[in-house]
Structure formats: C-alpha cells, structure tokens
Amino acid sequence: QKEVEQNSGPLSVPEGAIASLNCTYSDRGSQSFFWYRQYSGKSPELIMSIYSNGDKEDGRFTAQLNKASQYVSLLIRDSQPSDSATYLCESSGDKLTFGTGTRLAVRP
Amino acid sequence: DAMVIQNPRYQVTQFGKPVTLSCSQTLNHNVMYWYQQKSSQAPKLLFHYYDKDFNNEADTPDNFQSRRPNTSFCFLDIRSPGLGDAAMYLCATSRDQGYEQYFGPGTRLTVT
C-alpha cells in the first residue's frame, strides 16, 4: 500500500523560530506534492505545491522536494502563534494520498 | 470570489435515515472529490469525478453513493447511516488530476 508518513507531533516551537515539517512517501511514481494547513474543526487550506526537485519559496514558507530520497519538507520562517495548526502532506501518484498530519504549536 | 460551497454545514440524521450532502463550485474545475475525515485522522478519499467519469475507492462502502449532475454540483448520498459514519465530510475540487485541491468548509454529520 502506497503511504505518506508524517510525524504526528506535536512539534512545539517558540514564536519567531523556524518550524520544520517533514514527510516521506513510498510511491516512486508520485509527481506532485502539496502541503495543506488545517485548523481544528476547519477544512484543509492549500499552503504550497511542489512538482520538481529543489526548493520553492512563498513568503514565510519554503517547500523542499527530494525525489531520490522520497522526501518532502515544509519550512515556516518567523513562526507565529497563528501558524499553530495541523499540516497535511499529500502526494499525487497513481492516487492521491494524505499523510496523517503534523500538529504544530507555536508558543508566544 | 471563486469558491467551493458545501451545504448544510451541520447535519443531524437518525440511524438508518438516508441523508444527502451537497457541494457546488464556481471554479469550473474538472475534478470533484469527496472525503471523510474523523477526529485526529487524515482525510480519507471516498470517490472522485473526473468530469462525468466516476472513480470509486476500493474500500468505500456501498452505503456511500455520489452524483454529479453537472460541472458545478456534486452530491454525497449516505443510504443508511450508521453511528460510525459520523464525521466531517469534505468536498474538494482541482482543475485536473495531479493538481492542487481546493476544499469546501465541510459538512459535519452527526448520527443519532
């Protein structure tokens, strides 16, 4: 069974620090990867998409993809308490697969 | 603003009483998805439509059905809800397969 693995956390970081969220996937055919943020009781919201190896930056967020290592990460710079949420990693190979999510807590 | 809309936001139904959840989109996306999400779990894909083509996940119970009468609307029918079907139901769209998804606000289903 094709899987996406994330550390469930919680990952606790102080305000202003860099939060690093990691994701590994088993389907070598996966071509597209997405990070979603989900606040408690709300629906997932797209943060970043990444399709090729390397880094992709958007504001305080940087997604990193390494297809050889089957590894995707999301860095959040200058973390804010409002970033506290669950972050879901998703891969798109022969099917869409979500990881179970990492809960991030940013302490003031 | 282009968006994905789900109605109702909260639905209470009785055990065994059929229920229909609706989703509409103004994004004109080809693909529409239905997910079930239970507390502290990842969204679980139930099925999706690529245009009019229906794609059922292998482990989706027969109790769950879907209709997509046109590009904008998609419905989730639960024929005989059980207590285990209580969950958040999420509708999402994407412009094509393999692209990012845009989620509606979800419908929280309670089964009494």
Side-chain angles (χ1 to χ4, degrees):
Chain A
Q1 184 174 353
K2 307 289 175 60
E3 293 183 344
V4 175
E5 303 276 353
Q6 294 182 258
N7 188 323
S8 62
L11 173 65
S12 181
V13 301
E15 184 174 356
I18 296 175
S20 178
L21 305 163
N22 304 315
C23 171
T24 59
Y25 61 94
S26 61
D27 182 3
R28 285 199 168 273
S30 295
Q31 296 296 318
S32 311
F33 303 87
F34 311 101
W35 283 99
Y36 297 87
R37 177 176 64 200
Q38 187 173 26
Y39 293 114
S40 180
K42 304 294 186 182
S43 62
E45 173 191 11
L46 180 71
I47 297 295
M48 293 282 287
S49 57
I50 188 164
Y51 301 93
S52 55
N53 281 330
D55 294 0
K56 180 181 178 182
E57 185 175 320
D58 184 2
R60 295 187 295 114
F61 299 96
T62 299
Q64 299 174 317
L65 174 59
N66 184 325
K67 289 186 178 180
S69 300
Q70 296 176 247
Y71 178 89
V72 191
S73 66
L74 179 70
L75 301 177
I76 306 175
R77 289 181 298 282
D78 189 22
S79 295
Q80 300 297 309
S82 59
D83 294 326
S84 299
T86 296
Y87 289 80
L88 297 164
C89 173
E90 183 187 38
S91 72
S92 176
D94 59 353
K95 64 181 293 183
L96 291 167
T97 306
F98 272 105
T100 53
T102 297
R103 191 155 55 93
L104 173 66
V106 181
R107 28 180 220 281
Chain B
D1 287 342
M3 57 177 58
V4 182
I5 302 163
Q6 290 187 245
N7 286 302
R9 296 290 309 278
Y10 301 91
Q11 176 74 57
V12 180
T13 190
Q14 292 178 333
F15 182 95
K17 185 175 181 180
V19 65
T20 295
L21 310 181
S22 74
C23 176
S24 64
Q25 55 131 342
T26 60
L27 297 162
N28 202 32
H29 282 173
N30 284 325
V31 193
M32 295 187 77
Y33 307 83
W34 278 105
Y35 287 89
Q36 178 193 66
Q37 188 177 27
K38 298 185 177 180
S39 182
S40 301
Q41 296 183 18
K44 177 181 182 298
L45 183 62
L46 297 173
F47 23 61
H48 74 277
Y49 276 93
Y50 181 79
D51 196 11
K52 297 179 181 179
D53 293 333
F54 178 70
N55 297 272
N56 198 28
E57 293 299 302
D59 57 354
T60 299
D62 293 340
N63 196 28
F64 292 86
Q65 304 286 319
S66 185
R67 297 169 282 135
R68 189 180 186 185
N70 54 52
T71 300
S72 301
F73 284 87
C74 197
F75 300 96
L76 170 62
D77 300 309
I78 308 176
R79 294 193 295 188
S80 181
L83 297 178
D85 296 328
M88 175 79 89
Y89 289 87
L90 298 164
C91 175
T93 71
S94 65
R95 55 182 160 136
D96 207 334
Q97 294 185 121
Y99 286 86
E100 63 274 10
Q101 296 171 292
Y102 295 88
F103 285 83
T107 295
R108 182 162 298 281
L109 178 69
T110 300
V111 181
T112 61

